[in-house]
Amino acid sequence: MFPVGGVGVMLLGAFVSGGLCLLLGTALRRRLGPTTGLSVAGLLWSVVVIALVTLIPANGAPGIVSAEGRLTTCSWDIGGPAPTGFWIFQSGQRLLNTVLFVPSGALLVLAAARWRAARVLVPVGFALLACYSAGIEFTQLQLARIDRACDVTDVIDNVSGAAVGVLVGGLLALVLRPWRRRGQVRG
């Protein structure tokens, strides 16, 4: 049996990890400047929140899922049937899967914009976010006990959200200009 789950566990995890990342951001802002320091910590927090939302059973501990009842492959039904609501927001699951990755994409750009290597860091970071999404789906497939389903549509939606986030982050970087306070750290 998977011992934990539910919205309360997810929210507790988000709160605790948020506090730790806020401490990290406060420490980093002295060295990297406020925008970059808080963006690095925020990016880390957004990735942790994604894991909490996607890998913890949504409805408490689901119990034992028999080997016969477990899916053996991911659903390749692109845009296929998905629940119409989710446990926090009453909206389509596809929209929520997209929105979940927008902060990570935006914070990736803001965290990287300070350095000259941002033209390399952002595409590499974007590819890592895509791999992270695929890894989550693979984990959902392998761990039937978390009562989640692997779906290729989720990866498409997550990557789309990260792409929107990268565009938003680019616009925010133009406004916030994190490169103004480069200080000693330049790459």
Side-chain angles (χ1 to χ4, degrees):
M1 177 191 288
F2 196 79
V4 297
V7 176
V9 172
M10 291 179 204
L11 293 174
L12 177 63
F15 179 76
V16 170
S17 62
L20 293 172
C21 287
L22 186 60
L23 291 173
L24 174 65
T26 302
L28 288 176
R29 69 184 289 192
R30 290 188 192 111
R31 171 120 168 93
L32 302 176
T35 303
T36 303
L38 292 174
S39 296
V40 168
L43 176 59
L44 175 62
W45 186 53
S46 71
V47 169
V48 169
V49 168
I50 289 169
L52 291 168
V53 169
T54 58
L55 296 175
I56 290 181
N59 299 316
I64 296 172
V65 177
S66 67
E68 296 82 27
R70 177 178 170 262
L71 295 175
T72 57
T73 62
C74 282
S75 169
W76 285 85
D77 184 14
I78 307 296
T84 57
F86 205 51
W87 41 265
I88 293 179
F89 302 105
Q90 292 302 313
S91 181
Q93 184 176 346
R94 294 204 58 202
L95 175 63
L96 293 170
N97 281 329
T98 303
V99 170
L100 184 62
F101 270 72
V102 170
S104 297
L107 290 165
L108 166 67
V109 174
L110 289 174
R114 172 189 177 100
W115 291 283
R116 290 185 187 126
R119 288 189 171 101
V120 173
L121 293 173
V122 172
V124 168
F126 179 77
L128 289 172
L129 285 173
C131 290
Y132 185 57
S133 175
I136 287 169
E137 295 303 314
F138 179 76
T139 302
Q140 290 176 345
L141 177 65
Q142 297 303 314
L143 299 178
R145 297 176 111 180
I146 65 173
D147 199 28
R148 297 295 182 112
C150 178
D151 190 347
V152 174
T153 304
D154 291 354
V155 176
I156 293 167
D157 295 339
N158 295 158
V159 172
S160 298
V164 168
V166 166
L167 294 174
V168 169
L171 294 173
L172 287 172
L174 292 174
V175 171
L176 299 174
R177 299 178 14 206
W179 51 83
R180 287 181 299 174
R181 295 191 52 193
R182 289 182 192 245
Q184 300 170 358
V185 178
R186 290 167 61 145

